């Protein structure tokens, strides 16, 4: 097995995520060049993991801006919620009025029909 | 700045619970405790601080609105990483302002001396600065994967979901990203050795 072939496999295999075939393992164990390449990848991954503990200082004002953006979003949501509640109440009131009017009209119509019937007799 | 001890995690969990019940002060405290971490991730994903600020605000707005969907079986910080990754992806897609970096912009080849026993050598501040610089040189799509997987330890399926790609694509990008980063960091090293070996 050539070192070039091994080098192509290392990015996926160096953290143990991808299985390594026995011939590859044997080659690396006996090849100083490939061992050096593995060491480079391991060092790189270790450095990347260390980056996790290093922070970038944000510009002043980011926290305030973020909190006020959340505040505005909360207010908008609260306003939307109130408006939605009012719309529902309005729709309910209109619906109730329509239902009441329909019932009244029906009652009047029934009353008139009965009256005509009794007059005819 | 976030700590990694159990006490800090418990406090964050309590704050998350309170925030889920609608407490704004609790959520504000969560923001205070985690925004530097979130901002750092955003800088690493977007490659510049201006975009990172927008991403941070967007990420916390999404978190506030979606807090009810946070199951609580993961850490709040991990959940924020995913939201930040997604917000960063959306932000960059919208703006189409990705800085496409090439090696032409590098004044000098990056060289890191290989230690006799590199696994035992502590990374110096200079090494870390070079690593950060090399990371910034990566094309954005490769950098996102390397940052999320190798720096923040997110699993492939979570990365794939937040970046709207398949798990297989995430793995391929990670492979390419690591290879490109290795080439940036150790330019020239290894290739001469392999050529000599081939002869």
């Amino acid at each position: 097995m050539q070192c070039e072939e091994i080098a192509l496999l290392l990015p996926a295999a160096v953290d143990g995520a991808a299985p390594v075939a026995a011939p590859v393992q044997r080659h690396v164990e006996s090849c100083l060049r490939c061992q050096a390449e593995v060491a480079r990848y391991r060092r790189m991954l270790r450095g990347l993991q260390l980056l996790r503990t290093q922070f970038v200082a944000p510009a002043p004002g980011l926290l305030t801006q973020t909190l006020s953006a959340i505040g505005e979003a909360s207010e908008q949501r609260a306003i939307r919620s109130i408006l939605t509640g009012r719309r529902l109440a309005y729709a309910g009131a209109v619906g109730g009025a329509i239902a009441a009017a329909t019932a009244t009209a029906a009652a009047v119509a029934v009353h008139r029909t009965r009256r005509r019937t009794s007059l005819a007799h | 700045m976030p700590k990694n001890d159990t006490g800090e995690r418990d406090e964050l969990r309590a704050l998350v619970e309170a925030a889920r019940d609608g407490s704004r002060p609790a959520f504000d405290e969560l923001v205070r405790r985690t925004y530097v971490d979130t901002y750092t991730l955003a800088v690493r994903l977007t490659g510049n601080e201006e975009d990172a600020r927008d991403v941070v605000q967007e990420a916390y707005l999404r978190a506030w609105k979606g807090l009810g969907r946070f199951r609580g079986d993961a850490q709040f910080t991990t959940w924020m990483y995913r939201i930040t990754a997604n917000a960063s992806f959306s932000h960059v897609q919208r703006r189409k302002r990705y800085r496409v970096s090439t090696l032409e912009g590098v004044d000098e080849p990056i060289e890191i001396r290989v230690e006799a026993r590199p696994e035992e050598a502590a990374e110096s501040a200079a090494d870390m600065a070079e690593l950060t610089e090399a990371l910034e040189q990566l094309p954005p799509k490769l950098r996102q994967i390397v940052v999320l997987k190798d720096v923040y330890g997110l699993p492939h399926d979570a990365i794939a979901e937040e970046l709207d790609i398949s798990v297989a694509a995430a793995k391929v990008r990670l492979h390419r990203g690591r290879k490109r980063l290795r080439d940036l960091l150790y330019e020239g090293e290894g290739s001469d050795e392999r050529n000599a070996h081939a002869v």
Side-chain angles (χ1 to χ4, degrees), chain A residues 8 11 15 37 43 46 52, chain B residues 40 81 118 127 175 178 182:
Chain A
L8 292 174
D15 61 354
E37 187 67 1
R43 187 177 187 197
R46 212 168 41 248
R52 174 70 189 81
Chain B
T40 302
Y81 293 156
D127 286 347
H175 187 281
R178 283 176 176 172
R182 174 252 174 262

Side-chain angles (χ1 to χ4, degrees), chain B residues 18-46:
Chain B
R20 285 173 72 176
D21 290 340
S23 166
R24 259 299 303 285
F27 189 76
D28 287 357
E29 184 58 26
L30 279 173
V31 176
R32 273 189 205 94
R33 292 191 185 204
T34 58
Y35 84 104
V36 174
D37 201 10
T38 304
Y39 175 74
T40 302
L41 172 59
V43 168
R44 288 182 177 140
L45 290 174
T46 61

